[in-house]
């Protein structure tokens, strides 16, 4: 999969920021050491320093383009290029956080014990993942990608996946841990031409688009935009997009 495009990702920065703010609101205490796994372009990592002034905050991402953008836009921050699957902090942390990242990690539930092991006593592991992979935006993407002549080129692309709050609760609710797991469906009102395509092209549809050569990518884009316009008709005030998110905050008590 090609590297992330920070410009495309930030087109809907306001809408993408809402779940992050809701996640932070449920984190207890005042953490002093924080790691943001999958920090992207760093626009949300900065919020951690605003929420907890004086905390030591490090943003980690595996995308060179995202880390470069974070360092450019937030020169006062600390950002590290690393894959969360192999990342090890030098010492236990008060808050291990990951927002809209784990869904890209195959079998990410098997990583949860290692991520919680990074948490210091009294600290928390908090994350959110999209829970909308059965929404029309994603079912249509899969349906169009399965058509000829796209099918052979898109069969093995990376596809995000996530689970329900109850499953994460089962994973995290061990002795010595207090777990808060929930879901929220946001109703975003998007503006502009083909806004649902613009939204998913920066995230969920990106691996499919990257897998197609230029001529086929243009045809695929046209087919996908047409199908998405039918599923998400524009209204006078914009285009509504229902987006389900799943959250969990596990605190080491």
């Amino acid at each position: 999969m090609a590297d992330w495009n920070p410009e495309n990702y930030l087109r809907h920065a306001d809408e993408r920021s809402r779940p992050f703010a809701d996640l932070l609101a449920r984190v207890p205490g005042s953490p002093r050491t924080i790691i943001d796994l999958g920090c992207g372009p760093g626009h949300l990592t900065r919020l951690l320093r605003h929420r907890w002034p004086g905390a030591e905050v490090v943003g980690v991402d595996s995308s060179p383009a995202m880390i470069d953008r974070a360092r450019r836009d937030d020169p006062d921050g600390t950002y590290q290029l690393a894959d969360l699957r192999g990342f090890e902090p030098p010492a236990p942390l008060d808050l291990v956080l990951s927002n809209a990242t784990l869904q890209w990690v195959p079998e990410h539930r098997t990583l949860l014990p290692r991520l919680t092991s990074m948490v210091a006593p009294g600290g928390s592991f908090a994350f959110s993942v999209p829970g909308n992979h059965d929404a029309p935006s994603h079912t249509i993407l899969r349906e169009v990608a399965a058509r000829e002549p796209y099918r052979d080129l898109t069969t093995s692309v990376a596809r995000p996946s996530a689970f329900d709050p109850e499953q994460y609760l089962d994973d995290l609710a061990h002795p010595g841990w207090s777990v808060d797991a929930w879901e929220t469906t946001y109703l975003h009102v998007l503006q502009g031409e083909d806004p649902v395509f613009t939204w998913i092209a920066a995230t969920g549809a990106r691996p499919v688009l990257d897998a197609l050569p230029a001529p086929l990518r243009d045809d695929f884009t046209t087919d996908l935009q047409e199908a998405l316009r039918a599923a998400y008709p524009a209204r006078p005030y914009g285009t509504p997009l229902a987006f389900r998110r799943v959250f969990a905050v596990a605190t080491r008590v």
Side-chain angles (χ1 to χ4, degrees):
M1 194 164 63
D3 201 359
W4 286 81
N5 186 315
E7 294 290 343
N8 290 344
Y9 185 82
L10 290 169
R11 286 182 182 177
H12 296 290
D14 289 346
E15 291 85 355
R16 297 188 197 281
S17 298
R18 288 179 59 190
F20 188 83
D22 290 346
L23 180 64
L24 294 192
R26 305 284 277 268
V27 174
S30 298
R32 305 295 296 176
T33 54
I34 304 171
I35 198 81
D36 183 6
L37 297 174
C39 65
H43 64 300
L44 298 179
T45 310
R46 294 196 296 272
L47 296 180
L48 296 169
R49 299 204 307 274
H50 290 299
R51 170 72 187 273
W52 293 292
E56 178 185 337
V57 180
V58 178
V60 174
D61 205 284
S62 62
S63 163
M66 289 293 200
I67 290 295
D68 287 346
R69 179 63 180 261
R71 289 171 175 167
R72 189 194 81 184
D73 291 353
D74 184 22
D76 294 331
T78 301
Y79 295 95
Q80 181 177 341
L81 181 65
D83 190 317
L84 68 83
R85 289 171 292 186
F87 176 79
E88 292 289 346
L93 300 158
D94 295 331
L95 175 58
V96 176
L97 183 141
S98 182
N99 179 66
T101 297
L102 291 178
Q103 75 275 6
W104 288 107
V105 181
E107 300 180 355
H108 64 262
R109 290 174 68 191
T110 63
L111 285 181
L112 299 183
R114 190 176 69 81
L115 296 176
T116 55
S117 72
M118 299 178 185
V119 178
S124 298
F125 168 52
F127 69 90
S128 75
V129 288
N132 66 331
H133 300 114
D134 292 328
S137 57
H138 285 67
T139 59
I140 289 171
L141 170 65
R142 294 192 292 268
E143 187 273 323
V144 175
R147 299 176 189 171
E148 294 292 352
Y150 316 121
R151 180 171 54 197
D152 290 343
L153 295 169
T154 62
T155 299
S156 60
V157 300
R159 300 188 188 278
S161 63
F163 301 89
D164 293 332
E166 294 86 353
Q167 292 166 291
Y168 292 122
L169 178 64
D170 284 341
D171 292 336
L172 297 168
H174 300 303
W177 290 85
S178 172
V179 180
D180 185 9
W182 73 98
E183 65 178 75
T184 300
T185 297
Y186 298 87
L187 188 58
H188 301 304
V189 179
L190 306 181
Q191 305 297 326
E193 185 177 358
D194 292 312
V196 178
F197 171 79
T198 301
W199 178 291
I200 68 170
T203 53
R206 193 175 63 89
V208 177
L209 294 168
D210 288 346
L212 297 171
L216 275 183
R217 188 185 309 124
D218 293 341
D219 293 341
F220 178 84
T221 296
T222 299
D223 292 345
L224 182 57
Q225 287 174 334
E226 180 181 358
L228 290 173
R229 283 196 295 268
Y232 296 93
R235 311 287 176 83
Y237 51 81
T239 302
L241 172 67
F243 200 118
R244 177 178 176 255
R245 301 267 186 174
V246 176
F247 302 82
V249 177
T251 301
R252 195 168 195 170
V253 298

